[in-house]
Amino acid sequence: MVASRGQTRGRGDLEQQVYAALAAGGGPMTTADVRDALGSELAYTTVMTVLARMQTKGLATRIRAGRSYAYSAVVDAAEVTAHQIHRLLDARGDRAAVLTRFARGLSPEESQLLLDLLGPDAEPEQT
């Protein structure tokens, strides 16, 4: 779903929409393919810029397709969400405060899952 004229998108919303279109595409998609999948309301150059930025971030790969490129999603939705959380944490000054408030909002089941994932043998991933 694309925001209509006069509506503003949240930061990252367009990237998420483009990623969703790539992931649902089932194979490499050109800029025009992605634009069509999004409803063709966006400028071609806007979609092209988003795809290029996603490729730079490692969220998509591209291969030559004639005079253009065809893009593919390279990570699953969970990894994209995790990447976005890391970016949000990086943008805030007090990680401990953000993580504390996040943890307080978890259900008992989610808390247990997190504890299991962070068990004694778990090593933090390097990002």
Side-chain angles (χ1 to χ4, degrees):
M1 176 185 282
V2 177
S4 63
R5 249 180 228 277
Q7 290 181 318
T8 58
R9 261 186 212 91
R11 226 172 128 208
D13 286 350
L14 181 55
E15 185 175 284
Q16 289 176 354
Q17 292 171 4
V18 169
Y19 180 82
L22 278 180
M29 297 176 71
T30 65
T31 301
D33 295 335
V34 173
R35 183 175 176 259
D36 290 345
L38 295 173
S40 303
E41 297 176 15
L42 294 168
Y44 179 91
T45 54
T46 299
V47 177
M48 183 174 61
T49 299
V50 172
L51 287 166
R53 288 181 179 163
M54 290 174 62
Q55 191 264 334
T56 299
K57 292 178 183 179
L59 301 175
T61 59
R62 69 181 185 185
I63 57 171
R64 268 285 183 208
R67 293 179 22 203
S68 186
Y69 290 101
Y71 295 83
S72 298
V74 294
V75 294
D76 63 20
E79 190 165 342
V80 171
T81 301
H83 176 73
Q84 291 168 339
I85 291 169
H86 282 285
R87 283 195 1 222
L88 287 170
L89 286 171
D90 290 343
R92 305 294 183 252
D94 190 350
R95 282 176 164 250
V98 173
L99 289 170
T100 298
R101 285 181 175 78
F102 173 77
R104 287 182 183 152
L106 295 175
S107 70
E109 295 80 16
E110 292 166 333
S111 295
Q112 187 59 53
L113 175 60
L114 190 56
L115 288 170
D116 292 345
L117 292 170
L118 297 173
D121 297 330
E123 292 186 28
E125 285 189 28
Q126 298 299 316
T127 55

